[in-house]
Amino acid sequence: MIRERYAHQIAGLREDLLRMGSMVEQALLRAIYALETWDVAIAAQIIHDDASIDDAWRNLEERTIHLLATQQPVVASDLRLCAVVTAIAGELERIGDYANSIAKRVRQATRRPALMTPPPQTQEMGRLALQMVNTSLQAFLLQDVDLAHGLAASDERVDELEDLLRAEVIAIAKGDPVLFEAAVDMLDIIHALERSADRATNIGERVIYLATNSVETLN
């Protein structure tokens, strides 16, 4: 009976982490849409919902600590799972923060004297970052090491796009000083997308550790 309860708690951690992942994916998807459309209502919703992501993160941490303290897992894979759930929840919480940061910048940008249209590559960068978050969660769900390894190539492309976009935004601002503040907003948005991709890669590293008990660096 005690072991049944323990197995149920372990399964619950997995499920709740994936639920949190879904919340974060949704926040990032909406942040990218808000950027493309300058939709301040959606931006405001993302900012409001960030507290729910923080709550989910804290809840997962508390439950993991409680499980370790009261059940004392004896199987090494269960111990790794507890450590990985806590680590991935932390990465997801940060991605939620980046979505929140993009939403705040969108809201701020609409109040500027002039808007800067996001350069075309911003869309590719946003799609890639979102896809990486989704892939990292799929890798966790399936404990698929190959999926996790695939994040490295996507992360390289995101880094390339960040360099291109930074140079382009700075060039636009130099050409039109009225756009200086809008450029600062855009640079922060680009950085938030790049960091989201990095965090997804970190999740991939945790999945590799969970599946193989070995530590690898993907980025």
Side-chain angles (χ1 to χ4, degrees):
M1 186 70 180
I2 292 170
R3 298 316 288 173
E4 263 182 45
R5 184 164 172 269
Y6 165 68
H8 181 71
Q9 285 175 313
I10 285 281
L13 285 180
R14 284 179 183 276
E15 289 163 13
D16 285 354
L17 183 66
L18 289 167
R19 261 193 289 274
M20 182 187 177
S22 180
M23 290 165 69
V24 169
E25 266 191 281
Q26 185 68 14
L28 189 57
L29 174 66
R30 292 164 104 184
I32 292 163
Y33 178 79
L35 173 62
E36 289 170 359
T37 59
W38 299 116
D39 192 321
V40 291
I42 286 179
Q45 191 64 53
I46 296 161
I47 294 161
H48 175 269
D49 291 348
D50 187 55
S52 300
I53 292 172
D54 290 344
D55 287 345
W57 170 51
R58 279 189 289 269
N59 181 260
L60 266 167
E61 285 219 318
E62 286 167 11
R63 283 174 52 213
T64 306
I65 291 165
H66 179 75
L67 190 145
L68 285 167
T70 59
Q71 299 293 338
Q72 297 176 345
V74 290
V75 182
S77 59
D78 287 350
L79 279 169
R80 282 204 305 278
L81 177 67
C82 289
V84 164
V85 163
T86 305
I88 291 178
E91 300 291 354
L92 288 170
E93 189 274 336
R94 292 302 294 141
I95 296 169
D97 282 349
Y98 296 131
N100 189 33
S101 172
I102 292 168
K104 285 178 176 176
R105 287 291 184 174
V106 165
R107 191 171 64 178
Q108 199 166 281
T110 58
R111 297 168 183 164
R112 301 286 189 205
L115 275 174
M116 177 182 284
T117 303
Q121 299 99 324
T122 315
Q123 210 168 26
E124 183 189 348
M125 192 181 189
R127 277 200 307 268
L128 255 178
L130 186 64
Q131 182 186 13
M132 287 175 70
V133 174
N134 180 266
T135 299
S136 69
L137 291 168
Q138 283 293 318
F140 171 75
L141 175 65
L142 304 171
Q143 289 195 35
D144 189 321
V145 173
D146 291 336
L147 266 182
H149 279 134
L151 291 163
S154 297
D155 192 51
E156 277 183 31
R157 177 59 183 159
V158 168
D159 289 345
E160 286 172 13
L161 287 167
E162 183 190 24
D163 291 341
L164 284 169
L165 284 163
R166 283 180 65 83
E168 191 167 342
V169 168
I170 289 166
I172 291 167
K174 282 180 179 174
D176 186 354
V178 174
L179 289 172
F180 177 79
E181 288 182 325
V184 172
D185 291 330
M186 194 59 64
L187 288 171
D188 193 63
I189 287 165
I190 291 162
H191 180 66
L193 290 172
E194 187 273 333
R195 294 303 297 143
S196 296
D198 272 353
R199 297 285 178 173
T201 309
N202 291 349
I203 293 171
E205 291 173 358
R206 304 293 184 177
V207 170
I208 292 167
Y209 171 67
L210 177 63
T212 68
N213 195 27
S214 62
V215 177
E216 284 188 42
T217 303
L218 295 177
N219 60 4

